[in-house]
Amino acid sequence: MIPDMSETADGTKDTTARDERPDDEGRAPGDDAAARPSLRERRIAAWRGAPRVLARLGFLAPLRERLALLEAAGSVYDLDETSDIYGNGVVEALERRVAELLGTEAAAFFPTGTMAQQVALRCWAGRTGSPTVALHALSHPEVHERNAFSQVSGLRPVRISSEPRQPTAAEVRDFEEPFGTLMLELPLRDAGFLLPTWEELTEVVDAARERDAVVHLDGARLWESTEHFGRPLEEIAGLADSVYVSFYKSLNAYGGAALAGPGTLVEEAKAWRHRYGGNVFQQFPTALSALIGLDRELPRLPEYVGHARVVAAALREGLTAGGLPWSRVHPEVPHTYDFQVWLPHDAEVVAEAAIAAGEETGAMLFANHWDAKGPGLAATEVYVRSEALAWTAEDVRRAATEFARRLARERAAR
């Protein structure tokens, strides 16, 4: 259920989500694929079949369920209007809605965030005269996009920090070489969905301005950041010169993204969107699903963030009560409604225990893939959505305690 990266033949990182590509999880070389289900197949089956989960992310749902999302389309757009052609109609309506929400002059719809950000930074490079983009070493373009900035767009990324935290104002101010654009990922997903404080963020932006650099926000999950900052979307977006947002990560849409900023930048971005092959003939299903997400999900995100903090605290208590010698919920108080859990066990052992718990009890705390982070160390991401609201803190504590005990039995049996 979580996007994961793997090494490709050329040594770059694969951006494809583990659950969106042919199965290879949990099978040793030479296994007969038809002989037994893999860990991934069992995990997805357990997640779908479990009556109680913390989140049901749309992209793993059956097609019938995904298509049913559009039953609400008439509530967000006049379905008697002519369908979109090359970005007009309902796509333009979505662009206007995003610009209004983010407080920008304009916005442009893109089929992917990878394309949107390449285009944005290419446009800024032309304006600043510098192709150098300063960004965190754990940011999405550096980890998940196969060096797209340099290979496709002629940009030159430089890593302003590699620490598992947001960059500091001092690091921006004192960086040893010039750059035209500072790109900030809010939240920084691969570090644990981390956000800076509001004061830290404004100081980092000010430091970039002191260097005559523009600021672009990788805001794929910006929608869910308002609770942490205590600021509305337009005030957060207003700190930057441009911002990208995703429609499927927080809003459960079919896909798509938007680039928002000054009108002149957006107009140029649309020209580059065409050149990059992003001016798709018709995109009404995705645009409608995004409008539905903005109506249905966006108002509920603060509630999910608040409950994620309840879930995180109860998980930590339950794992300790279950006898785990060490575990970590990171961050201890989630900044968004997603966070990490780290456990001192091999990833395959933890995955087996998590799947078995879902299969046998019908309550699945950990539905995502477990990554090996070192010898005897595994980590996963926990997502909290509407389904989690039915779990009380005691429900989570009880399930976490039983999971920890099951994990001890699983390890002892090996």
Side-chain angles (χ1 to χ4, degrees):
M1 285 169 52
I2 62 174
D4 182 57
M5 57 187 180
S6 65
E7 294 290 339
T8 59
D10 61 359
T12 59
K13 297 296 184 182
D14 182 2
T15 186
T16 310
R18 177 177 293 273
D19 289 321
E20 295 170 345
R21 62 175 183 254
D23 178 42
D24 61 0
E25 180 186 342
R27 283 203 182 103
D31 277 353
D32 181 356
R36 65 180 180 89
S38 68
L39 283 176
R40 173 181 175 272
E41 290 167 338
R42 288 178 54 208
R43 178 165 56 83
I44 293 174
W47 169 76
R48 284 182 173 178
R52 305 198 71 189
V53 295
L54 295 176
R56 294 196 191 279
L57 302 189
F59 71 83
L60 278 182
L63 280 171
R64 188 180 304 279
E65 290 183 21
R66 293 302 279 158
L67 287 172
L69 177 65
L70 291 182
E71 292 175 0
S75 67
V76 297
Y77 193 75
D78 184 355
L79 300 185
D80 289 324
E81 290 287 330
T82 302
S83 182
D84 61 301
I85 297 176
Y86 291 125
N88 65 4
V90 65
V91 175
E92 290 178 331
L94 175 60
E95 291 171 340
R96 289 192 295 270
R97 179 78 181 278
V98 170
E100 179 183 350
L101 285 167
L102 297 179
T104 60
E105 290 182 359
F109 179 86
F110 278 82
T112 71
T114 299
M115 182 186 295
Q117 298 209 105
Q118 283 194 59
V119 166
L121 296 171
R122 183 169 194 148
C123 292
W124 285 125
R127 284 164 164 73
T128 64
S130 171
T132 304
V133 179
L135 74 176
H136 197 286
L138 293 177
S139 62
H140 196 277
E142 284 293 271
V143 179
H144 297 289
E145 296 181 14
R146 301 191 182 205
N147 303 314
F149 279 6
S150 58
Q151 296 298 312
V152 178
S153 297
L155 299 169
R156 178 173 171 263
V158 293
R159 297 178 171 187
I160 207 155
S161 174
S162 59
E163 296 296 320
R165 54 163 173 72
Q166 288 283 346
T168 67
E171 288 170 332
V172 172
R173 187 176 293 109
D174 300 335
F175 193 66
E176 60 268 21
E177 56 182 301
F179 53 86
T181 304
L182 173 66
M183 176 178 163
L184 298 172
E185 183 177 328
L186 300 178
L188 188 57
R189 179 267 182 94
D190 280 323
F193 304 94
L194 297 183
L195 289 162
T197 65
W198 180 252
E199 291 73 20
E200 289 168 342
L201 178 59
T202 55
E203 289 170 2
V204 166
V205 170
D206 289 344
R209 304 283 190 225
E210 292 172 17
R211 300 189 57 145
D212 295 323
V214 299
V215 177
H216 170 76
L217 296 186
D218 176 343
R221 297 172 173 83
L222 193 70
W223 308 113
E224 64 215 51
S225 301
T226 55
E227 284 298 288
H228 175 82
F229 287 129
R231 299 291 196 283
L233 279 168
E234 61 268 25
E235 188 172 354
I236 302 169
L239 289 178
D241 297 283
S242 60
V243 58
Y244 139 69
V245 289
S246 171
F247 295 127
Y248 76 88
K249 289 185 173 67
S250 302
L251 304 178
N252 200 35
Y254 293 160
L259 171 65
T264 55
L265 177 82
V266 170
E267 283 305 305
E268 182 185 358
K270 288 181 178 180
W272 281 106
R273 180 182 66 186
H274 194 174
R275 293 175 180 131
Y276 274 67
N279 206 28
V280 180
F281 180 55
Q282 289 194 312
Q283 300 186 95
F284 64 90
T286 300
L288 287 169
S289 72
L291 286 169
I292 293 168
L294 289 171
D295 268 19
R296 285 184 173 183
E297 289 298 307
L298 184 59
R300 303 193 68 185
L301 300 188
E303 184 181 15
Y304 301 166
V305 173
H307 198 60
R309 295 167 181 171
V310 174
V311 170
L315 266 177
R316 187 166 51 249
E317 294 166 4
L319 292 172
T320 300
L324 271 176
W326 175 90
S327 65
R328 178 155 188 198
V329 174
H330 177 67
E332 289 191 6
V333 178
H335 296 175
T336 71
Y337 49 56
D338 300 329
F339 55 90
Q340 296 176 341
V341 172
W342 292 62
L343 296 179
H345 292 286
D346 291 334
E348 187 175 345
V349 175
V350 183
E352 178 61 41
I355 294 165
E359 292 171 334
E360 296 174 20
T361 71
M364 198 163 186
L365 274 179
F366 302 112
N368 293 338
H369 173 72
W370 287 86
D371 281 316
K373 294 296 186 179
L377 186 62
T380 191
E381 293 177 348
V382 175
Y383 300 159
V384 174
R385 302 293 189 275
S386 61
E387 293 77 15
L389 301 178
W391 295 62
T392 65
E394 181 55 33
D395 291 335
V396 176
R397 275 192 293 270
R398 188 181 305 114
T401 299
E402 174 52 33
F403 170 80
R405 292 170 178 165
R406 179 185 295 271
L407 182 56
R409 295 193 298 269
E410 176 70 24
R411 185 179 183 184
R414 290 186 174 236

